C-alpha cells in the first residue's frame, strides 16, 4: 500500500476474478489495502468477472487470526468499499443489487474480439460437423456449463450436424479440487449424453 500511496494516483482500478487465486488470497489484506486507499481520498473502482451464483457459504481464512467469514460477506465488503463497480453480465448486476441495494454499478457488456480465421481449421482438427459452437474460459462451477450440456443434447438431437467444443482450463496457480471435480463431472455428463 505504501508504494501505491507514494504515487498519489487519482484512481485505483481492481480487476477481481475469484478463480485466479487460491481461497486464502481472499483475506483482510485486500480489504485493508482498499480501506487505506479510501482514507487517502483515492477513488476505487472494481471489475468483477465471476458471478457468486454457485458460491454457498464456503468459508475463507481472514487475516492472521484465521477467523472465518463467508465469501458473500467478503464480497459485500469489497462492494461497500468501491466507488464504482463494473460488471459484464446482468446476472452479476442483479446479484450485487441483492447484496447492496444502492450499489454504484456500471454495466459493460463483454466486447467482441477480432477473430482471425484459420484456413482449413476443421480439417486440421478432424471436425466433420458444419455448425460449431465454442465455449471458452476457465472451467468453474459458477459458469453452469452443465446447463449448456443438457440443452445441447436437445439441440444435437434435432440437428446432428452440430458440435459443441469447450476451450478452457483450470489455471495452474489454482489447484482447487472442486474445479477438477467439476471438469470431471462435465466430462461424465458429456459421455452420458454421447
Amino acid at each position: 500500500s505504501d508504494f501505491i500511496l507514494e504515487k498519489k494516483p487519482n484512481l485505483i482500478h481492481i480487476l477481481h476474478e475469484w478463480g485466479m487465486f487460491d481461497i486464502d488470497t481472499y483475506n483482510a489484506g485486500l480489504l485493508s489495502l482498499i480501506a487505506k486507499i479510501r482514507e487517502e481520498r483515492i477513488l476505487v473502482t472494481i471489475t468483477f468477472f465471476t458471478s457468486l451464483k454457485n458460491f454457498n457459504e464456503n468459508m475463507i481464512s481472514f487475516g492472521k487470526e484465521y477467523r472465518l467469514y463467508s465469501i458473500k460477506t467478503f464480497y459485500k465488503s469489497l462492494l461497500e468499499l468501491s466507488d464504482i463497480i463494473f460488471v459484464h453480465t446482468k446476472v452479476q448486476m442483479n446479484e450485487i443489487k441483492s447484496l447492496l441495494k444502492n450499489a454504484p454499478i456500471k454495466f459493460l457488456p463483454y466486447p467482441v474480439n477480432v477473430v482471425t480465421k484459420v484456413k482449413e481449421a476443421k480439417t486440421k482438427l478432424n471436425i466433420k460437423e458444419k455448425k460449431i459452437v465454442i465455449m471458452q474460459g476457465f472451467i468453474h462451477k459458477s459458469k453452469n456449463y452443465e446447463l449448456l450440456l443438457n440443452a445441447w443434447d436437445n439441440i444435437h438431437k434435432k440437428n446432428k450436424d452440430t458440435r459443441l467444443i469447450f476451450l478452457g482450463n483450470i489455471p495452474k496457480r489454482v489447484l482447487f479440487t472442486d474445479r477438477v471435480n467439476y471438469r470431471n463431472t462435465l466430462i461424465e455428463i458429456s459421455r452420458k449424453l454421447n
Side-chain angles (χ1 to χ4, degrees):
S1 69
D2 293 337
F3 173 78
I4 293 170
L5 298 177
E6 277 176 23
K7 301 294 180 188
K8 299 185 189 236
N10 295 321
L11 179 137
I12 298 285
H13 183 73
I14 298 166
L15 300 172
H16 189 276
E17 166 64 74
W18 291 103
M20 295 302 290
F21 308 101
D22 64 43
I23 204 74
D24 289 329
T25 303
Y26 299 103
N27 59 30
L30 181 57
L31 294 178
S32 63
L33 171 65
I34 295 171
K36 282 182 185 179
I37 291 167
R38 299 270 310 186
E39 284 175 9
E40 296 297 318
R41 298 184 188 231
I42 298 169
L43 290 175
V44 175
T45 62
I46 189 163
T47 298
F48 286 101
F49 290 98
T50 306
S51 169
L52 278 179
K53 186 176 179 188
N54 285 330
F55 280 104
N56 55 29
E57 294 296 317
N58 290 329
M59 304 310 253
I60 57 174
S61 61
F62 212 70
K64 292 182 180 178
E65 298 173 22
Y66 290 98
R67 294 173 291 148
L68 297 177
Y69 288 83
S70 73
I71 288 174
K72 285 182 182 175
T73 302
F74 176 83
Y75 191 63
K76 187 173 180 186
S77 297
L78 282 178
L79 298 173
E80 290 170 341
L81 288 169
S82 300
D83 291 294
I84 300 174
I85 303 154
F86 296 101
V87 295
H88 298 298
T89 68
K90 299 282 184 180
V91 169
Q92 289 173 301
M93 191 162 63
N94 293 334
E95 186 177 87
I96 289 170
K97 285 181 180 177
S98 75
L99 289 172
L100 192 63
K101 190 176 181 178
N102 296 319
I105 302 173
K106 300 290 182 191
F107 175 68
L108 299 171
Y110 277 116
V112 176
N113 295 326
V114 175
V115 177
T116 305
K117 288 187 176 184
V118 176
K119 290 185 178 189
E120 300 180 27
K122 287 183 179 181
T123 304
K124 290 177 183 177
L125 296 171
N126 196 27
I127 296 172
K128 295 173 178 65
E129 295 83 2
K130 286 185 180 177
K131 296 177 184 172
I132 309 297
V133 172
I134 296 175
M135 292 302 300
Q136 180 179 342
F138 290 126
I139 296 172
H140 191 274
K141 199 185 259 189
S142 68
K143 298 195 178 182
N144 292 315
Y145 286 138
E146 67 278 12
L147 182 65
L148 175 60
L149 280 174
N150 288 310
W152 189 259
D153 186 46
N154 292 327
I155 292 167
H156 188 68
K157 284 176 184 171
K158 293 175 184 172
N159 187 348
K160 295 288 185 192
D161 202 22
T162 58
R163 180 183 283 194
L164 174 63
I165 298 174
F166 286 90
L167 300 175
N169 66 5
I170 299 168
K172 290 180 182 172
R173 309 183 272 286
V174 181
L175 299 175
F176 287 158
T177 305
D178 64 326
R179 288 178 182 246
V180 173
N181 290 341
Y182 183 63
R183 181 196 60 202
N184 293 340
T185 298
L186 294 175
I187 292 168
E188 188 59 33
I189 291 169
S190 179
R191 285 185 181 142
K192 286 179 183 175
L193 296 173
N194 200 11

